[in-house]
Each structure stands twice: as structure tokens, then as C-alpha cells.
Amino acid sequence: DGAVRDNVLATLTIYEERERSDLTAARVRRLHANALEQIRSALQPFGYYRPRIEATLAQEGDRWHARYEIEPGPAVPVTAVKVNVTGEGADDPAFRALVDNFPIAPGQTLHHGTYEEARRRFEAVAAERGYFDMRFTRREIRLDLEAYRAEILLDVDTGPRYRFGEVHIEQDLLSEEFLRRYVHLSPGQPYSTAALLELQTALSSSNYFRDVQVEADPREAVDHTIPVRVTLTPRKRDRYSFGVGYGTDTGPRGQASWQRFYVNEYGH
């Protein structure tokens, strides 16, 4: 039932083609013959490597009935999990948390989806924190079907952590000195997407700009230092609004407002 059953149905070609009107008897038998291997493959991501499958195919008039009774059997247990992090990020709390909270522990059953998600989290943290040269020097699931056990071996080399370089601001509205009040990045600061988002949010919330783009492309790095480019599109200087209404006590009424977002280059 659940996700296991859904994956079996998604893998079974005979199920996928069940509504086709041009199925021949030979095609049906061929699909049925392939079903056993497809079912086994669909069970393996959930750790089931010893299923018992009873398959029957019967024809009644012009209709075929394929039936599969599946006993998945026990999921293969994980007997060892070894996750190692080397490189500049070995002591980074974000990576240490991934190691300490790895979602599969010895004694639990093997689930390939959980393992892949855990592996992708290392890639995500590396991208978020500027370890753009991170690589897996080993990523293995060692499966012993005779002893019916599995081991997970994951070695991560974070490489160096990239840093921010100079912040270049492209705009022609406000003075550079005034805009620098919103910039809290400094050259040499360790890269993080959170710092870039904070800068973008601060500039967007200032109400001076219609569009704010903050870019730090690792491909432009020199000696692991990435320049930051900020492109600002000013909003219209003035905003007008009008409204009308009617009150039983006051009669008709109107309202008009005018707001000027900036007066000069100093942000007044």
C-alpha cells in the first residue's frame, strides 16, 4: 500500500497500457512477462530485495485480467553508516549538523529515497554557503544480498569556501554614499545566499526601486573571491491615488493623495 504500491503501479508497463484498444494477445503476454522484473525494481528503492510475487494472467472473452500478489518481505537492514566531511567546511556547523542528523542510522532499514535526499542536502548546503568546489570522493551503498545487509559510505570534500569581493552598484538615482547604508557585505566576508537575500530585501524595502537584482556568480570568481553586482531600477518618483464614497450621515465624499518617494539624491 502507500508509496510502495504507487511506485509499483508507476513502473508497470502493463498497467500503463491497460486502456489501449490496440493491444494484441502477444503484446499482453509480453507485458505480463516483463511485470515480475518491473515489480522487483519498483520495490528496491524502499529496501525490499526479497519479495514473493504471485502473477497470473487470464483471458475472459475479449478482456484480459492480470493479477499480482506481492509480499515485499523484510527490508534490508543497514548495519553501518559512515559519513565523513573534509576540507575547509569540515568544522562548518551546517555540515556538522548534516553528519550528526543523517536520516539513516545503523539498525534502520535501507530507503534509497531517504539516502538520496540526504546526499542532496550536502549539495544544497554547499551552494548556500559558498563551497562551490564540493565533491563526493565516495558515495556508495554496499549491498550484500547473501548476508542481507547494507552499508552506507559517504565521503564529502567541501573544498574552499568562497568569499565576497567588492560590491558594485549600478544605478543613477541616489548618491553612492547614501546607498552604502543598505550594504552590509564587506570584501572577504564568507559567501552565503542569506547575506545576498538580506541585501536584496533591504534595497527592495527602501521604496526607491521598482526592481532590485543582486548577483554573485561563482564563475566570475578570482582566487575564490566573487564580485557582487547590484542592479537597481528606480520606481516612478510620484504616486497618485483617488477615491470616492458616500455616507448616509455625510453624503458624498472624495479623497485624493499624492506621494513623492524621493526628492533628491540623498534619499529625502
Side-chain angles (χ1 to χ4, degrees):
D1 57 10
V4 181
R5 182 179 186 275
D6 292 343
N7 202 49
V8 169
L9 291 177
T11 305
L12 273 175
T13 310
I14 195 170
Y15 181 77
E16 180 183 348
E17 297 189 10
R18 68 191 184 282
E19 301 293 342
R20 288 182 54 174
S21 60
D22 60 343
L23 284 177
T24 64
R27 175 66 175 167
V28 172
R29 292 190 179 94
R30 188 159 55 249
L31 293 174
H32 179 68
N34 294 335
L36 293 181
E37 186 58 35
Q38 291 174 345
I39 291 172
R40 291 190 183 96
S41 296
L43 295 174
Q44 289 175 4
F46 301 91
Y48 299 112
Y49 285 85
R50 289 181 176 175
R52 181 182 61 81
I53 307 170
E54 292 184 8
T56 59
L57 181 67
Q59 185 178 14
E60 297 179 7
D62 60 349
R63 297 186 62 83
W64 292 86
H65 296 272
R67 181 177 181 85
Y68 307 96
E69 293 191 12
I70 306 166
E71 173 56 49
V76 64
V78 176
T79 57
V81 178
K82 300 177 182 178
V83 182
N84 298 306
V85 178
T86 59
E88 193 173 316
D91 296 323
D92 190 312
F95 280 115
R96 296 312 313 167
L98 294 181
V99 175
D100 295 339
N101 300 306
F102 198 80
I104 303 177
Q108 297 180 343
T109 57
L110 177 63
H111 191 294
H112 289 266
T114 302
Y115 164 77
E116 289 297 330
E117 178 60 27
R119 186 181 60 78
R120 285 193 292 268
R121 282 301 303 154
F122 280 94
E123 296 173 333
V125 167
E128 292 167 3
R129 298 181 64 77
Y131 297 94
F132 296 110
D133 298 331
M134 190 216 82
R135 62 191 182 97
F136 295 103
T137 55
R138 178 171 63 173
R139 51 179 184 179
E140 299 177 7
I141 295 179
R142 293 183 178 175
L143 193 61
D144 186 341
L145 291 182
E146 290 188 7
Y148 210 61
R149 64 188 181 189
E151 295 181 349
I152 294 176
L153 307 174
L154 192 64
D155 291 343
V156 182
D157 180 1
T158 70
R161 187 175 186 181
Y162 284 56
R163 300 185 178 273
F164 290 123
E166 295 291 338
V167 179
H168 306 279
I169 302 178
E170 299 177 8
Q171 58 89 41
D172 56 4
L173 177 65
L174 302 172
S175 71
E176 183 83 7
E177 180 182 1
F178 175 75
L179 279 178
R180 289 291 169 179
R181 300 180 187 180
Y182 294 93
V183 180
H184 300 292
L185 299 182
S186 56
Q189 177 180 334
Y191 176 99
S192 76
T193 55
L196 294 175
L197 181 59
E198 181 181 353
L199 173 58
Q200 184 178 39
T201 301
L203 290 168
S204 297
S205 301
S206 70
N207 280 332
Y208 294 119
F209 307 104
R210 176 172 56 84
D211 184 59
V212 177
Q213 295 185 14
V214 179
E215 299 174 300
D217 191 340
R219 294 172 296 183
E220 298 179 1
V222 177
D223 295 331
H224 305 111
T225 300
I226 308 173
V228 180
R229 183 178 297 105
V230 180
T231 305
L232 304 174
T233 304
R235 69 184 305 168
K236 291 182 178 180
R237 180 187 295 249
D238 300 301
R239 181 173 68 182
Y240 304 92
S241 63
F242 303 93
V244 295
Y246 182 87
T248 56
D249 297 331
T250 61
R253 60 179 181 267
Q255 177 178 313
S257 67
W258 165 46
Q259 184 176 11
R260 172 158 286 183
F261 291 102
Y262 46 88
V263 178
N264 54 36
E265 65 175 337
Y266 304 108
H268 296 139

